[in-house]
Amino acid sequence: MVNAIKGVFISCDIPMAQYIINMNASVPASDKFIIHILDSTHMFVQPQVEQMIRSQIAKFREDNTYVKPN
Amino acid sequence: MPEVRIIAKNFMDMVASMPAMKLDKLYENGFICEAILRSLPPLGKKYVLQLLHIDVPVAAKLLEEWVLPDGYTKHRVAIDRLVQLRVFVEAVDRKNDKTYKLNPTFQKSLQKLLVHGGTLPREPMPSNITVRLPTLDDLEAYALQQWECFLLQLISSSLVEKPSNISSSLMKVFQRRLLSQRDKEAPKLTESGFQFLLMETNAQLWYIIREYISNSEERGVDAADLISFMLELSFHVIGEAYNINSLTDFQRSIIRDLADLGLVKLQQGRKESWFIPTKLATNLSVSLADSSSRKEGFVVVETNFRVYAYSTSRLHCEILRLFSKVEYQLPNLIVGAITKESLYNAFENGITAEQIISFLQQNAHPRVADRTPTVPENVTDQIRLWESDLNRVEMTEAYYYDEFPSRDVFEGACDTAREWNGLLWEDSKKMHMVVKTGVHTYVREYLRSQK
C-alpha cells in the first residue's frame, strides 16, 4: 500500500544540508524534525519547522558577520 | 516569495481599457487619433492607413492575404491591438465571414488630420508679450527640480522646506501603494515604494500619472477629458509659451497639479499668464520602451565598495541610504559604502540585487559611464552573491510517497506528477518520490484508479 506523508521538501547546497543535519542532531529526541535525508542536497522534514530552520540559518549568518561600530 | 512589480507601460493600454462610449468620444480629437496611430505596431499602422478611405467592411480573409505566411503572428498581434483599441470594428457578414471596418469617428478625425494637418487649439504666444522665457536647459532643470521636490514630499513630507501646492488628499492617493502607515508610527515605504524610487524618471512619472487618472473619477473628473488633455499637451512644443486663457475651465483646474509635477511651467506677464510645456509633458505620449532619455549620472562606485555620489540632492541621498551606509555628506558629495548589512536591509525591503545594480549603472557619473564595466565587476558580483546567500535553502511544502506496490504504479505516479509540473524528487531504485502539495490530489486520484 502506498504511503504518503505531509511535510516540507528542502533543497540546498551540501554545507547547508550538513548544517541542518547538525541542527537536527543537537535537539532532544522528541524534537527531531528530519523525516528522511533523501540525498546530499535534499531532505524531507516535518511541516511545522520551516520558520524555525529559516530563523536558525539567519542567526548563523549573523554570527559570522562583524559590523564595524560607529 | 511573491514578486511585487509596478507595471508601468503606457497611455495606450489605459486608453484600451476604457469603455467603448468614452473611446468614441476620445476619437473625436484628432491628436488622440495621431497618438494612437503612432503607438501601433508597424503592421497596425499599415492597416489603418490602407483602410483609411474605405467605407465598407473588409473581409478578414482579404487582410490575411496581405501578409506572408511567416508574418502571421505579427498580423494577429496587430489586429488584436486594433480591435482592443476599437480602431477596428469587428462584424460578421451574410456569409458568416469576419469583417473589419475602421471606427467611423476615428476614421473621420484621421482623414481630417491628414488633409488639413494638425493644428493645436492654441498658438504659441508671440515673443513680444512673453519676455524672459526660460532657455531649454533652464526648463529641463526646472522640470527635474520640481519632480524631485515632489518625490521627496512623496516619501516623507518632513524632508521638504517649501512644500508644493499639491493637496494633501491628492498626495495620499499617490502614496497609497508606496507607503504603508501603521497607527502612530511614521509612514514606511512598502516594497513597491522602494522599487518605485529606483525606477527611471519616465517610469515614475507614468506611474504617478496613472494613479492620477485612475483616481480622477473619485474627484469628479472625467478620465476621458483628462487623458485627452494630457495627450494634447504632449503635442505642444517644448519651451514655447501658450496662453492660459485658451484652456477650458476644467483644464485650467488641473494645470496647477501638472505644474507641481514639473510637466509645465507657469509664468505670469503683466496682463497675461501662460504655461510652458517641459520635456516631461512631451514624453508622455511616447511609450516608455522607446524613450531613451539619459540624464547625466552622479555615482562613482569603486572596487573597494565605496560609493561617491556627486549630488546636492537630498532625494539622491535618501535613495542611496536604501542600500548603502552613508558615511559622510559634504555640500556636493555623498560618500557611502555598500556593506553586507546595508544590502541585507535592502533585500529585506524587497529590493532585488538587479535593481540596485541597474540603478548604479544607469546613474553612473560621466567619468565612469563610458568605461566598461561601469560598476566594478567585483562589486556587482558580490551584490549578487550576497543576495543568493539569502536563498541558499529552498523549502517547498510537499508530500513524500513510498512503499509503491510495483514499478509500474511508481512510474505512473511519477508521470502524473510530472504532467502537473509538481515532481520535486524521485529515487527510482528505492521507489520513493516527493511531490508539491498542490499536486497531491492528482497523484492520489491516480493511485486510487490503479487499485
Side-chain angles (χ1 to χ4, degrees), chain A residues 1 3 5 7 9 11 13 61, chain B residues 392 394 396 398 400 402-403:
Chain A
M1 183 51 220
N3 210 353
I5 318 169
F9 176 72
S11 160
D13 51 78
R61 201 186 299 121
Chain B
R392 274 173 79 177
E394 200 184 312
T396 328
Y400 175 86
D402 56 2
E403 292 177 33

Side-chain angles (χ1 to χ4, degrees), chain B residues 34-168:
Chain B
E34 194 182 335
I36 295 272
L37 186 65
R38 280 189 196 181
S39 77
L40 291 174
L43 260 185
K45 283 181 193 153
K46 177 184 154 68
Y47 293 157
V48 169
L49 292 179
Q50 258 174 327
L51 297 190
L52 189 56
H53 289 280
I54 298 175
D55 293 327
V56 289
V58 176
K61 279 203 189 112
L62 194 73
L63 246 62
E64 266 168 47
E65 281 166 18
W66 288 347
V67 286
L68 294 171
D70 51 345
Y72 186 71
T73 41
K74 281 187 185 154
H75 167 80
R76 263 321 331 154
V77 170
I79 294 285
D80 285 347
R81 187 73 186 154
L82 288 167
V83 172
Q84 201 186 21
L85 283 166
R86 281 185 54 82
V87 169
F88 268 20
V89 184
E90 214 173 30
V92 177
D93 70 359
R94 267 166 299 158
K95 283 179 246 148
N96 235 345
D97 284 331
K98 233 193 246 174
T99 62
Y100 295 109
K101 187 175 170 313
L102 271 188
N103 180 328
T105 328
F106 183 87
Q107 191 173 19
K108 227 174 278 156
S109 306
L110 203 59
Q111 280 174 354
K112 217 165 94 193
L113 190 82
L114 217 63
V115 176
H116 301 287
T119 38
L120 283 169
R122 58 194 70 87
E123 295 272 303
M125 291 168 77
S127 54
N128 53 4
I129 305 180
T130 60
V131 277
R132 53 183 180 85
L133 274 189
T135 64
L136 285 184
D137 286 343
D138 286 348
L139 201 63
E140 201 180 330
Y142 164 83
L144 287 181
Q145 188 205 340
Q146 201 72 356
W147 179 247
E148 216 179 279
C149 178
F150 166 73
L151 282 186
L152 260 182
Q153 200 183 356
L154 190 69
I155 54 171
S156 152
S157 41
S158 58
L159 286 173
V160 215
E161 294 93 34
K162 61 168 184 47
S164 60
N165 311 316
I166 292 184
S167 67
S168 59

Side-chain angles (χ1 to χ4, degrees), chain B residues 11-12 14-16 18 22-40 85 87 105-106 109-110 113 118-121 223-235 251 285:
Chain B
F11 245 113
M12 296 315 152
M14 186 150 232
V15 173
M18 298 194 49
K22 291 233 168 104
L23 262 184
D24 285 347
K25 204 178 136 216
L26 273 182
Y27 288 159
E28 281 167 20
N29 185 326
F31 287 102
I32 293 181
C33 299
E34 194 182 335
I36 295 272
L37 186 65
R38 280 189 196 181
S39 77
L40 291 174
L85 283 166
V87 169
T105 328
F106 183 87
S109 306
L110 203 59
L113 190 82
T119 38
L120 283 169
D225 286 344
L226 207 54
I227 291 182
S228 79
F229 178 53
M230 295 218 186
L231 281 180
E232 198 180 288
L233 198 63
S234 71
F235 280 90
Q251 291 167 340
S285 71

Side-chain angles (χ1 to χ4, degrees), chain B residues 177-432:
Chain B
R177 271 194 271 157
L178 304 175
L179 296 180
S180 69
Q181 186 154 27
R182 303 241 177 81
D183 356 83
K184 284 180 194 156
E185 273 176 52
K188 270 179 65 184
L189 280 173
T190 62
E191 209 169 297
S192 35
F194 283 108
Q195 299 186 351
F196 174 80
L197 278 185
L198 293 183
M199 285 197 295
E200 226 198 325
T201 312
N202 272 332
Q204 288 173 334
L205 178 68
W206 166 239
Y207 176 83
I208 291 295
I209 293 291
R210 213 177 46 155
E211 290 289 293
Y212 188 69
I213 292 174
S214 55
N215 173 261
S216 60
E217 308 273 326
E218 285 167 40
R219 283 177 286 129
V221 176
D222 190 4
D225 286 344
L226 207 54
I227 291 182
S228 79
F229 178 53
M230 295 218 186
L231 281 180
E232 198 180 288
L233 198 63
S234 71
F235 280 90
H236 287 59
V237 183
I238 307 177
E240 292 282 359
Y242 297 92
N243 198 324
I244 281 211
N245 290 334
S246 63
L247 298 176
T248 63
D249 287 343
F250 158 74
Q251 291 167 340
R252 231 172 297 164
S253 69
I254 61 169
I255 199 122
R256 297 216 171 273
D257 288 339
L258 299 185
D260 284 329
L261 293 178
L263 264 66
V264 293
K265 185 177 168 70
L266 299 178
Q267 271 190 338
Q268 218 157 15
R270 229 169 297 155
K271 276 189 213 141
E272 316 267 353
S273 51
W274 56 84
F275 67 94
I276 309 160
T278 70
K279 211 163 130 195
L280 290 182
T282 48
N283 274 348
L284 268 183
S285 71
V286 185
S287 96
L288 287 175
D290 35 72
S291 63
S292 57
S293 66
R294 266 197 76 98
K295 295 178 292 185
E296 190 136 289
F298 57 95
V299 184
V300 179
V301 184
E302 286 190 341
T303 50
N304 58 4
F305 293 85
R306 275 292 172 82
V307 180
Y308 298 92
Y310 291 87
S311 167
T312 50
S313 137
R314 302 198 51 182
L315 180 68
H316 289 155
C317 186
E318 289 306 307
I319 292 177
L320 286 176
R321 236 182 255 284
L322 295 181
F323 58 85
S324 68
K325 200 170 116 195
V326 173
E327 286 176 342
Y328 28 88
Q329 236 180 313
L330 304 177
N332 69 338
L333 176 70
I334 305 159
V335 182
I338 296 177
T339 64
K340 196 171 167 182
E341 289 71 37
S342 68
L343 278 177
Y344 276 0
N345 263 335
F347 296 148
E348 247 166 56
N349 286 325
I351 304 177
T352 65
E354 279 318 308
Q355 282 171 330
I356 295 174
I357 293 170
S358 78
F359 174 82
L360 291 174
Q361 283 167 344
Q362 275 166 12
N363 291 290
H365 192 275
R367 281 277 180 105
V368 288
D370 34 338
R371 256 188 243 164
T372 40
T374 339
V375 180
E377 257 166 352
N378 71 321
V379 178
T380 51
D381 285 350
Q382 188 64 67
I383 293 178
R384 288 198 189 100
L385 278 176
W386 274 328
E387 188 190 40
S388 64
D389 195 37
L390 279 182
N391 306 322
R392 274 173 79 177
V393 179
E394 200 184 312
M395 299 196 198
T396 328
E397 289 196 10
Y399 277 86
Y400 175 86
Y401 292 82
D402 56 2
E403 292 177 33
F404 284 91
S406 71
R407 185 152 297 272
D408 287 345
V409 177
F410 171 72
E411 266 156 23
C414 280
D415 288 342
T416 313
R418 224 176 259 130
E419 250 169 57
W420 293 97
N421 204 9
L423 185 67
L424 292 167
W425 184 85
E426 60 169 319
D427 182 343
S428 50
K429 258 191 213 144
K430 290 188 196 150
M431 296 204 287
H432 297 166

Side-chain angles (χ1 to χ4, degrees), chain A residues 9-10 12 17 21 36-43, chain B residues 425-426:
Chain A
F9 176 72
I10 296 182
C12 56
I21 291 171
H36 292 285
I37 296 173
L38 304 172
D39 58 30
S40 59
T41 56
H42 297 97
M43 62 186 80
Chain B
W425 184 85
E426 60 169 319

